[in-house]
Amino acid sequence: MTQDIVRAAIHPGVGIARIGNSAEYFLAPQVITPEPMEAGSFHASDGTLKREAVQFRIYGYNAAGDVVEELTPDQAGIDIEWGVHMVARKAAWYKFRAAMDLPAAADFALQRRNPDYAPDRREDLVIDPGMRTISGKDAGGTEAEKLTGVFRYKEDTAETTIGELRTDEVGRLVVLSGFGESGSPAGLPVFDDSGTVEDPFGNAAGWYDGGCDGPVTATVRIGGRDIPCEGAWVAVAPPNFAPEIIGWRTLLDLLEEVWADAGWTPASEQVSFTRDIYPLLGRLSGLQWVNRGFVAFFGPGGPLDFTDPALIDKISCIHGQSDIHKELRRQIFNAFRPVTGDGVSLRTQPWIYGDAFGTFPDDDPDNGLPLWPAAARKMRRWVNGDFVADWGKVPSEPTDIAQVAVADQPAMLDRAPLHYCLADAFHPGCELTWPMRHASIWKRPFRIRVRRPDNPEPDYGDRLTTARALGPDGPLHAQAPGGLTRWMALPWQADTAGCRSGYDLSFDPNLPTFWPARVPNHVLPVENYDRVMDTKLPDEERIEAFYGRRSWYYPLAKYGTGGIKLMENMVEHFAEMGVVERREGPGDLPGIPPVLFVETLPHLPGMKAVEGAALLGAEPDAAPTPEDEAARRAGWQSEEERQFFRSARMARTLATRNGNGTY
């Protein structure tokens, strides 16, 4: 069939590799519903955190645009040489303050990171290993395939690895991250609390990290015949500490709306309860495993437990000629924050911060995350009874890419990585951030518009204004290597340490939250799980253990507390954090789910599984003040730490902040 192939394309169009500090790795999901990994699979035997690698494949297409077959060098007559050019540009880019396409950001003029660094030497701040190639089967695994570059800050330098290339047993490309190295060769602080630095949070001077991205290309020959091959893109993101928990809105959800609005994809004619409505509801119940507040409302026995078969039955179909549960559907819909924005109210759903929170005043309408327009349209049709009642009637999704027909594999490979990325809140976010929602950076769905080397990006000057950023010659168009991740926090560990929940204890100590589906707030500890499963204990004690949650940040407490110290601890010890993993439930406790998601900590040499951790969600060491006690219940180590991160996130400089976040 290879004689019918006239072109080829790499899939996924955008792949996400995630950071770890282990030599070992596992492959990122290639389908929407992969087979669950066994508990303990995310850490190596030596206690290190495995890297999450992305596998790229090439498919051949005929003149009609149909998939013919996958192409690999394992097939006779096929030669493939892969090329990857990943670059880390954060330190040479502009500071993050908030998404520049927000209405409140219209007058932004963002300073460069490292503003005192000479303009003619700013490429010293870029880690660029150059274009690297690999070919053959089972290639890589040596120093030659590591993407290593040098970060220079004035007279100080650091050599670091930001990625690695391999091929598998049939010659598919496997791209890995570096090993999570972040630092300052000049010894500068991860956060400048002097009060004299503009936008200090997530913009550490003299620092680098392993966040990077760039194009993936391939030279393909079939029987000596050159076949044009469409390239892809790869980005390196922080670890996923809750791999099976899906965010309320995924990056795939966002981009499908962006592409539909651009006229690139058709709008759906029907609303499916299973595919369109239930994800908006069921994901809220899924967040119970990573935030204590969601347990009470969306967890077992809560008012809206969307895993409860009785509740699902009421809302998944029309009951009776009078549609007796229509009002229930309406009330669920009305509980969500409207599209027009009602960010002032924390009481509307979802309990997730919007893009503006942390930069603008408390009355900014984008402080809370609303329903997005496409979701709101579908939910209105659901409320009105205009939907397909297909719960329990939709075929099971494939759990492995091998179960997908070859013709459908490219589309599945394209969608899966973005399903496991977050769209909110872009402040700046977990994997990628707000420029992704601009159609101008896309060539077509799943394909980043690539900047030609002979058309370099202009220098935007000492400050990047909103008008320039969103303008026709701004950076939201064709992308050079490193163009996507440069907008993210530097180092990423500072954001992971500080983007949490419980900033306003007067409302709720656990809600709203930023992105617990990737960076948990509160978790079910393994020792609580053991008590849940212990049939010798009284049921009441087992149930109490189930509802107990502990701060996910607890493992860092032994290294010292305080805002800046917590950031430093996350830089040095991020791989010691727990991973929320699937485990079998008890099966004999009424109301307790059959599957639980439990924190698994690494087994490091000389480290106890949990060092002195109290059961039932309590924190160690009695709090000396009521304020500290309240902060600890919310997951902070102290009220001082909570106030530090609230202040650090909510002011351009510590010296100019006001109590309400204005300047």
Side-chain angles (χ1 to χ4, degrees), residues 579-655:
V579 177
V580 177
E581 300 178 336
R582 175 189 294 256
R583 299 198 184 201
E584 183 180 355
D588 66 330
L589 279 178
I592 301 302
V595 173
L596 309 182
F597 289 86
V598 182
E599 177 193 44
T600 298
L601 289 166
H603 295 289
L604 297 169
M607 173 185 174
K608 297 179 182 178
V610 180
E611 296 186 351
L615 298 178
L616 308 179
E619 296 297 334
D621 303 327
T625 67
E627 292 78 14
D628 283 341
E629 187 176 2
R632 288 183 178 180
R633 284 198 301 269
W636 306 91
Q637 286 298 318
S638 66
E639 174 62 9
E640 180 183 7
E641 181 183 89
R642 189 187 72 85
Q643 288 287 0
F644 169 85
F645 278 107
R646 180 176 173 85
S647 297
R649 290 199 63 85
M650 297 185 182
R652 284 180 59 184
T653 70
L654 294 179

Side-chain angles (χ1 to χ4, degrees), residues 306-361:
F306 289 113
T307 67
D308 179 4
L311 177 58
I312 294 174
D313 178 67
K314 291 178 181 179
I315 63 177
S316 63
C317 59
I318 306 299
H319 289 264
Q321 293 184 350
S322 61
D323 190 5
I324 60 175
H325 295 305
K326 181 176 182 178
E327 183 61 24
L328 174 59
R329 298 198 304 271
R330 189 194 318 277
Q331 289 183 15
I332 291 172
F333 172 68
N334 287 340
F336 285 96
R337 195 170 287 108
V339 173
T340 53
D342 183 23
V344 178
S345 173
L346 300 178
R347 290 168 171 78
T348 43
Q349 295 295 339
W351 287 317
I352 300 173
Y353 290 121
D355 295 347
F357 182 79
T359 298
F360 300 108

Side-chain angles (χ1 to χ4, degrees), residues 60 138 186-187 199 239 273 297 329 343 359 361 394 419 448 470 480 501 562 633 651 661:
D138 285 319
D199 296 316
F273 176 81
F297 201 80
R329 298 198 304 271
T359 298
V394 176
H419 178 69
I448 297 293
L470 305 182
S501 62
R633 284 198 301 269

Side-chain angles (χ1 to χ4, degrees), residues 20 53 97 165 172 219 224 241-242 291 381 391 397 455 605 628 638:
R97 185 182 303 161
L165 306 184
R172 302 180 184 113
T219 300
F241 292 104
N291 180 280
R381 291 178 61 180
W391 186 253
E397 294 281 352
N455 181 31
D628 283 341
S638 66

Side-chain angles (χ1 to χ4, degrees), residues 37 58 73 139 164 172-173 184 197 211 213 222 235 247 276 332 344 352 357 365 397 421 439 502 505 546 548 574 632:
M37 294 176 64
I58 298 176
E164 184 178 347
R172 302 180 184 113
L173 176 67
S184 169
V197 175
D213 64 279
I222 301 178
D276 298 320
I332 291 172
V344 178
I352 300 173
F357 182 79
E397 294 281 352
C421 293
L505 299 183
F546 168 79
F574 74 88
R632 288 183 178 180

